[in-house]
Amino acid sequence: MTTAPTSRSRHIDGFGEVTIRPVRPAEDIDVIHDWVTRERSRFWGMRDASRERVLEIYEYLDSLATHHAYLVHRDGRPVALFQTYEPAADPVGECYDVRPGDFGIHLMIGPPDGGTERGFTAVLLDAFLAFVLADPGRRRIVAEPDARNDKAIARLTRAGFVPGPQIDLPEKRAQLLFLDRDAALG
């Protein structure tokens, strides 16, 4: 079994301690299953999945060297689920010309406790992008949310992602978005 990179924590002024750590499928299944089966997570594609099926999926991801899942905590409380993948080892890589250094991401912000907080998603996305871009070999970040997910597309565009073409994946029509390393770190 391949192990995902280790945890990373950093304090963000005015926000708190953000910890990004690999998903531990058996330990994290209750949180992940709760999140992925909610209506607000419909674009994640697991609304009707049983707890056992979600566990099976995350155990499979945990076994891959090319795909990883991370649970993000804020001050010790889980608040987001992020996944990374190498596009050349994923169906998305069959839909566009993968460049050396391309690195794919998926993100899901957990359900807000006590209401929404202005800037919450932006802070978490920035923290995750810094985590991903800590590897200098990652030259371009690729995202492919469901083409109907206007909120995710708008959030990624505000973060500097540039829309590419729409593509057809087995489970969805997706909007490709790209973020060049230089633009992200500029």
Side-chain angles (χ1 to χ4, degrees):
M1 183 183 300
T2 302
T3 304
T6 59
S7 301
R8 187 166 299 158
S9 292
R10 82 177 222 217
H11 181 80
I12 300 174
D13 288 340
F15 190 79
E17 188 74 18
V18 174
T19 303
I20 300 171
R21 69 153 173 84
V23 162
R24 301 175 195 128
E27 181 181 324
D28 299 328
I29 187 58
D30 291 334
V31 168
I32 294 171
H33 181 259
D34 176 42
W35 290 359
V36 301
T37 56
R38 291 185 183 217
E39 170 57 28
R40 70 186 305 277
S41 305
R42 65 192 171 281
F43 295 118
W44 205 252
M46 300 173 109
R47 289 259 309 125
D48 297 322
S50 68
R51 184 181 184 282
E52 292 73 25
R53 178 67 181 134
V54 173
L55 178 59
E56 180 181 280
I57 289 166
Y58 281 89
E59 286 176 337
Y60 174 70
L61 282 175
D62 194 44
S63 75
L64 299 174
T66 57
H67 294 63
H68 298 290
Y70 301 89
L71 201 57
V72 181
H73 292 76
R74 176 190 191 188
D75 296 330
R77 185 175 62 85
V79 293
L81 176 66
F82 287 104
Q83 293 175 196
T84 64
Y85 64 93
E86 294 175 20
D90 192 87
V92 74
E94 298 171 15
C95 299
Y96 83 100
D97 291 327
V98 177
R99 295 182 191 169
D102 277 3
F103 196 72
I105 65 167
H106 299 288
L107 69 109
M108 175 193 296
I109 303 301
D113 290 338
T116 59
E117 181 180 337
R118 187 167 182 78
F120 185 84
T121 301
V123 170
L124 291 180
L125 181 57
D126 288 349
F128 189 65
L129 290 174
F131 174 79
V132 167
L133 292 170
D135 181 335
R138 296 176 181 157
R139 305 299 309 155
R140 184 170 70 159
I141 306 301
V142 179
E144 31 60 56
D146 189 296
R148 299 167 295 169
N149 191 345
D150 296 331
K151 286 177 81 173
I153 293 166
R155 174 68 254 155
L156 291 166
T157 302
R158 284 193 306 276
F161 282 77
V162 175
Q166 287 191 359
I167 59 172
D168 290 312
L169 294 171
E171 70 285 355
K172 67 182 178 185
R173 177 138 183 95
Q175 174 65 59
L176 278 176
L177 295 116
F178 301 96
L179 177 65
D180 286 327
R181 177 184 192 81
D182 295 340
L185 299 177

